[in-house]
Each structure stands twice: as C-alpha cells, then as structure tokens.
Amino acid sequence: MTVKLLSVAMWSYAVLSMIVMWLPFVPLWLLSLPFDRRRRFAHSYASHWANHLHRVSPLWDIVVDGLQHFDPDRAYVLAANHESTADILVAFALRRQFRWIAKAELFFVPLLGWMMAMTGYIPIRRVDPNSRRKMMTNAARQLAMGNSVLVFPEGTRSVTGELLPFKRGAFELACATKTPVLPVLIEGTGALLPKNAWFAGVQRKTHPVMRVLAPIDPATHGLDPTRLATAVRAEMTRQRELLRQQIKQRGGVHQAPRNAEPAEHC
C-alpha cells in the first residue's frame, strides 16, 4: 500500500473514530460539568482518542521522554516548537492535563471544534488585538485553575527545521502569572507531515520524539518577558542539537530507541 493510500486511510479513520467517540462524549460531558470545573474529563477523553490514533498508526510511533519534569499536580506554560500540523496530535502523547491555544477558525470545524470549545481550549485570532487580550485572560484563568497552557511561541510552523523567533505572548503570560515555563522539544514531525501537506512525507514508520525539558522560573529572569523568551529559546536550541545527535546515533527517526518512557494516563 502506498504512502498516499495510508495517509488517506488514516485521515478517514480519524474522522470516523471522532464521529463514533462524539456520540457518548456529549452526555458524559454534560454529566461531568457540575463536578469538573477544570473539565479534566473532556481533555482526558480527547487525549484517549488522540493516543488511540497513535497506537493504530502504521506511519508513526511517538517517543516521549523527560516526563519527570512535568509535575501533574501543578500548572505550567508549555512552550513547544512547531514544525508540522501533526504537532497538535503529537502533544496529546504527553498524557497530561493542558489547554492549548489554537486558531479561532478551528473552533468552527464540526465535531473537532465543538469538542475543543467544550474542553476549554483557547481560541485566538492573530490579527485581532481584542482577541489577543481575551486569549491572555482565558489562559491566565486556566493556569489559576491548575491547568497547564500549551503555546507554540514561534507562532507558525517552521519549514527550515530551525527555531523561528519567539513571540512574546507565552512569556508575558508566564511572567504575569508567575508560572514556570516548561520547554517541550518536538523532533521528526516535519518529515512526517510537512507544512501545507495532506499526505505523509515518510516512506516507512518513523519515531518522532517529544522531549520535556526542565522548567524555567520566570522569577530567575526578573519577570521580564524578553529575557525569559531569550533564555527559553537558547535552552531549547541547545537541547535540540543534543537531541538531534542522539537521534542520529540511533540511526535516524526511522529507528526506534531502545529505552522509551512507559505511557501514563492524564
């Protein structure tokens, strides 16, 4: 079976499985609302769906390490690099509670967008200053409730494989709320699903890596968003080079690592 046929099969399965999972989700969500102010159930439900897709996929197997840095009992501003549309699905392999900031247009996609809104994910319209202010307010509220917030500080997907300049929003949020930034490296998804592509860019199974780095306290950088952004980007750049060397040593992203962290549940 060609890669294009496999890609079509996976997209079709993702849509069909979402429809099937949507049917019980709505009544269960309504029942949980009075007891689940943080909407943990809704995110866990979405996470199980995403990780089910990871398990059945013939094209990828996500490798996660560094989870010891992600304390499930506290909130972080997660700052992840962005190289593929697949990064959004890959992030669920963390199996932790978080709410991600996404383009407002996605919230109008039937089923997917509705579930995003019901879970408490945070919309933003990039060119609308009012939308940005509302997003910052919503993100701060999620942090105050104990939910981590995931941001792609590059603002768009990188096509060069290198980190783009970071925008200030994630770091303003971290400084304003005095919340640690948790850097997250994603490596290998750019080849899996290139930007603006619907078909996989790999010919055989690949093993993208998501590595959680040690948290960075904004207080150590004077609660200054610019200094914090510079420090986080420098650490991610340094650690990414180390990660790439390790992937190269194991034979590339098509070779599975010998030791991967066991899956956990959010």
Side-chain angles (χ1 to χ4, degrees), residues 6-23:
L6 281 173
S7 299
V8 170
M10 280 305 302
W11 280 114
S12 300
Y13 184 80
V15 172
L16 289 173
S17 62
M18 181 178 294
I19 293 172
V20 171
M21 292 190 71
W22 171 260
L23 298 176

Side-chain angles (χ1 to χ4, degrees), residues 112-263:
L112 174 65
W114 305 339
M115 184 177 288
M116 288 169 60
M118 294 163 73
T119 306
Y121 299 150
I122 305 164
I124 183 172
R125 291 184 175 86
R126 293 178 182 175
V127 297
D128 185 349
N130 290 327
S131 177
R132 185 181 185 278
R133 285 192 290 271
K134 186 176 180 180
M135 176 274 292
M136 294 290 281
T137 299
N138 288 340
R141 184 166 60 247
Q142 290 291 342
L143 291 171
M145 286 194 296
N147 292 328
S148 294
V149 173
L150 190 151
V151 185
F152 296 114
E154 294 167 284
T156 189
R157 288 159 288 174
S158 173
V159 296
T160 65
E162 303 303 323
L163 289 178
L164 300 175
F166 281 1
K167 299 183 182 300
R168 286 171 52 92
F171 309 101
E172 290 177 356
L173 176 65
C175 290
T177 59
K178 299 181 180 179
T179 302
V181 175
L182 196 64
V184 179
L185 293 175
I186 301 175
E187 185 68 23
T189 56
L192 174 62
L193 189 63
K195 186 174 182 178
N196 299 323
W198 286 95
F199 299 120
V202 295
Q203 298 300 315
R204 53 197 174 101
K205 194 165 191 174
T206 187
H207 301 269
V209 178
M210 185 163 48
R211 174 167 292 176
V212 182
L213 307 181
I216 298 176
D217 188 345
T220 62
H221 299 281
L223 297 178
D224 183 311
T226 300
R227 288 172 54 191
L228 180 60
T230 300
V232 171
R233 190 176 186 279
E235 179 65 4
M236 290 179 71
T237 299
R238 185 179 72 85
Q239 293 286 350
R240 196 180 196 191
E241 289 307 310
L242 293 175
L243 175 58
R244 285 177 169 177
Q245 291 174 17
Q246 292 168 358
I247 292 174
K248 184 177 180 180
Q249 289 170 0
R250 81 176 195 223
V253 292
H254 295 294
Q255 293 294 326
R258 294 180 180 178
N259 298 310
E261 292 193 7

Side-chain angles (χ1 to χ4, degrees), residues 62-65 257-263:
I62 311 301
V63 179
V64 180
D65 64 27
R258 294 180 180 178
N259 298 310
E261 292 193 7

Side-chain angles (χ1 to χ4, degrees), residues 36-75:
D36 188 15
R37 187 173 64 94
R38 292 173 57 186
R39 301 191 187 182
R40 291 172 59 89
F41 162 77
H43 177 80
S44 295
Y45 198 93
S47 179
H48 284 300
W49 169 74
N51 283 289
H52 169 71
L53 294 182
H54 293 327
R55 286 191 296 273
V56 302
S57 171
L59 294 173
W60 68 83
D61 185 16
I62 311 301
V63 179
V64 180
D65 64 27
L67 271 178
Q68 71 274 12
H69 298 303
F70 197 155
D71 183 348
D73 295 322
R74 73 166 305 167

